[in-house]
Amino acid sequence: MVKQYIDTHQQRFLNELFELLRIPSVSADSRHKGDVRKAAEYLVNKLQEAGVDKVELCETPGHPIVYAEKIVNPTLPTVLVYGHYDVQPPDPLDLWTSPPFEPVIKDEKIYARGSCDDKGQVYMHVKAFEAMMKLNALTCNMKFMIEGEEEVGSEHLDVFVKENKEKLKADIILISDTAIISLDHPSITTGLRGLSYVEVEVTGPNRDLHSGVYGGAVANPVNVLSKMIASMHDEQGRVTIPGFYDKVVELSAADREAINKAPFNLDHYKKELGIDDIQGEKGYTTLERTGIRPTLDVNGIWGGYTGEGAKTVLPSKAYAKISMRLVPDQNNTEITELFSNYFTSIAPKSVKIKVTPLHGGQPGVTPTDSVAFKAASAAFEEVWGKKPIPTRDGGSIPIVALFKKELGLDTVLMGFGLDSDAIHSPNEHYGVKNFLLGIETIVTFYKHFAKA
Ligand code: BES
Ligand code: MN
Ligand code: MN
């Protein structure tokens, strides 16, 4: 019945998603403030049409939060769906094969910024809700909280959650903002990494200098920064910040074995990324390196002359944006402080250092023995014909830990993307099949969850 409803209405579902994808809701770019709002308003309308009792555009000092609910019967379990309607900036634009905000289907995949992360996945929930309403099959109370600042660190969600605990009361949080292993191997994410993100500024002389007149005698901040960054990994691929690993939980041999049971093909992995070899912390597999080990990476580095041709200059300043992915039980505030102290301590006297924390979040693991996890697992089994494999993902959704802390709620991470969907990259896409199967799996989840 659900399947038939989805089949009948799939073209309209896709058309509606396309409309949402056409709105360039780039939360990081203030020029798109109006567009971010438009995307929120679009969801408000669609939730309304789908039949919620109540829907609100909740203002924050930043981008608004969409809240909606359908209370069928207060004695039934309540599911709180979280997602985000904001997207990453689309640049570099010239690498897109079709414009990022003009969605098209190629090879049965929807190409557009946000198609997978996270508009496409959010929209599955709106349409799953519509289907349940139309089929008179809604077996749970539903709440939606869709935010517009996830890609910039969910700055104002914290206060919203703290101030609306009663409104957000639920039995479980359901999020589709992660990936499955492949269409042949469905999986459920059971853990996400945390994040500590900083910007560093290295200042040398008080102005850009002639690199011939002063070069060799005055510290070059770009040279200094490069060396400092290079020194932050040792020969084993480990981060050299003292204390960085102190709180890292070392998994048991059995848990590591379980993680490595997930299908993974190193040759495909390398080929898909166009690399001849992989690199990472010694003693760990690729799945462990991204799932259960912390990292330090430069996300961007700049300074000096980067324009056309050559300009002989010894720059006054150099900058980098550095992220550290964290695992249980690392604490992002502590790690930011360890980084800051260490980074300052290894700088030569010839430069001045400024470290600015940008944002962060706690790592989160989700239980696999809960009623909700079992319902999600059963839903996958029913729709995909295969038991989903539990996986630990490398990305971060910091609000998972926030929900646990503030609302006491566990999360089920029922995402349907693929690692190869190019989220945050040019040519982001999302499989039409993932979208449609996702809707069906979500509806099936409610059936199992209400039964339990
Ligand atoms: N949906 C992603 C997180 C993700 C992607 C988890 C793939 C698991 C698999 C989310 O939108 C995201 O990009 N999060 C940011 C963190 C945020 C604080 C900016 C991230 O992981 O970089
Ligand atoms: Mn996301
Ligand atoms: Mn993202």
Side-chain angles (χ1 to χ4, degrees), residues 31-45:
R31 288 169 303 181
H32 285 294
K33 197 167 164 42
D35 294 315
V36 177
R37 192 176 191 83
K38 264 191 215 149
E41 285 166 350
Y42 185 77
L43 283 172
V44 166
N45 284 331

Side-chain angles (χ1 to χ4, degrees), residues 84 117-118 150-151 177:
H84 63 95
D117 184 13
D118 183 31
E150 197 276 345
E151 297 293 9
D177 195 21

Side-chain angles (χ1 to χ4, degrees), residues 214-418:
Y214 291 97
V218 175
N220 179 326
V222 179
N223 295 14
V224 170
L225 175 59
S226 309
K227 191 170 173 191
M228 288 169 74
I229 288 168
S231 78
M232 295 185 94
H233 283 98
D234 67 13
E235 288 304 308
Q236 309 300 310
R238 284 170 67 92
V239 177
T240 54
I241 301 170
F244 188 76
Y245 293 93
D246 282 3
K247 293 196 172 169
V248 171
V249 175
E250 295 288 341
L251 268 66
S252 68
D255 283 347
R256 288 181 66 178
E257 207 184 303
I259 284 169
N260 289 306
K261 266 213 192 106
F264 175 78
N265 184 314
L266 187 58
D267 286 329
H268 286 177
Y269 189 80
K270 290 194 286 195
K271 202 165 164 217
E272 205 253 323
L273 298 176
I275 52 177
D276 295 330
D277 204 358
I278 49 165
Q279 190 179 308
E281 188 181 355
K282 292 243 163 65
Y284 294 92
T285 65
T286 299
L287 290 176
E288 290 172 340
R289 286 169 178 172
T290 58
I292 56 163
R293 299 300 296 168
T295 63
L296 182 150
D297 275 296
V298 177
N299 295 255
I301 180 165
W302 70 102
Y305 184 70
T306 55
E308 196 183 336
K311 178 188 177 191
T312 48
V313 67
L314 194 161
S316 163
K317 284 177 186 291
Y319 305 83
K321 290 186 191 278
I322 298 174
S323 68
M324 288 156 279
R325 294 282 169 177
L326 313 178
V327 299
D329 289 327
Q330 285 177 301
N331 171 291
N332 70 289
T333 322
E334 275 171 33
I335 291 293
T336 300
E337 198 175 316
L338 287 180
F339 173 92
S340 191
N341 292 341
Y342 183 61
F343 193 75
T344 312
S345 79
I346 60 173
K349 277 213 184 70
S350 50
V351 296
K352 292 179 195 70
I353 299 292
K354 196 167 112 194
V355 179
T356 312
L358 293 182
H359 58 67
Q362 294 293 98
V365 283
T366 63
T368 52
D369 54 1
S370 69
V371 168
F373 186 88
K374 285 177 188 157
S377 191
F380 267 107
E381 223 178 319
E382 187 176 326
V383 176
W384 300 62
K386 273 177 196 162
K387 213 179 165 71
I389 301 163
T391 58
R392 298 274 289 256
D393 281 5
S396 306
I397 310 181
I399 35 73
V400 172
L402 177 76
F403 290 147
K404 183 70 187 171
K405 183 162 159 263
E406 296 301 331
L407 304 173
L409 293 181
D410 284 318
T411 294
V412 173
L413 293 162
M414 204 164 73
F416 298 93
L418 297 174

Side-chain angles (χ1 to χ4, degrees), residues 126-159:
V126 181
K127 293 299 102 175
F129 172 67
E130 177 196 304
M132 289 187 284
M133 287 296 287
K134 286 277 156 44
L135 299 172
N136 231 325
L138 190 57
T139 50
C140 299
N141 299 313
M142 282 191 65
K143 296 182 175 179
F144 291 89
M145 178 169 66
I146 323 279
E147 71 154 317
E149 299 189 314
E150 197 276 345
E151 297 293 9
V152 287
S154 304
E155 199 190 329
H156 302 102
L157 196 72
D158 195 82
V159 173

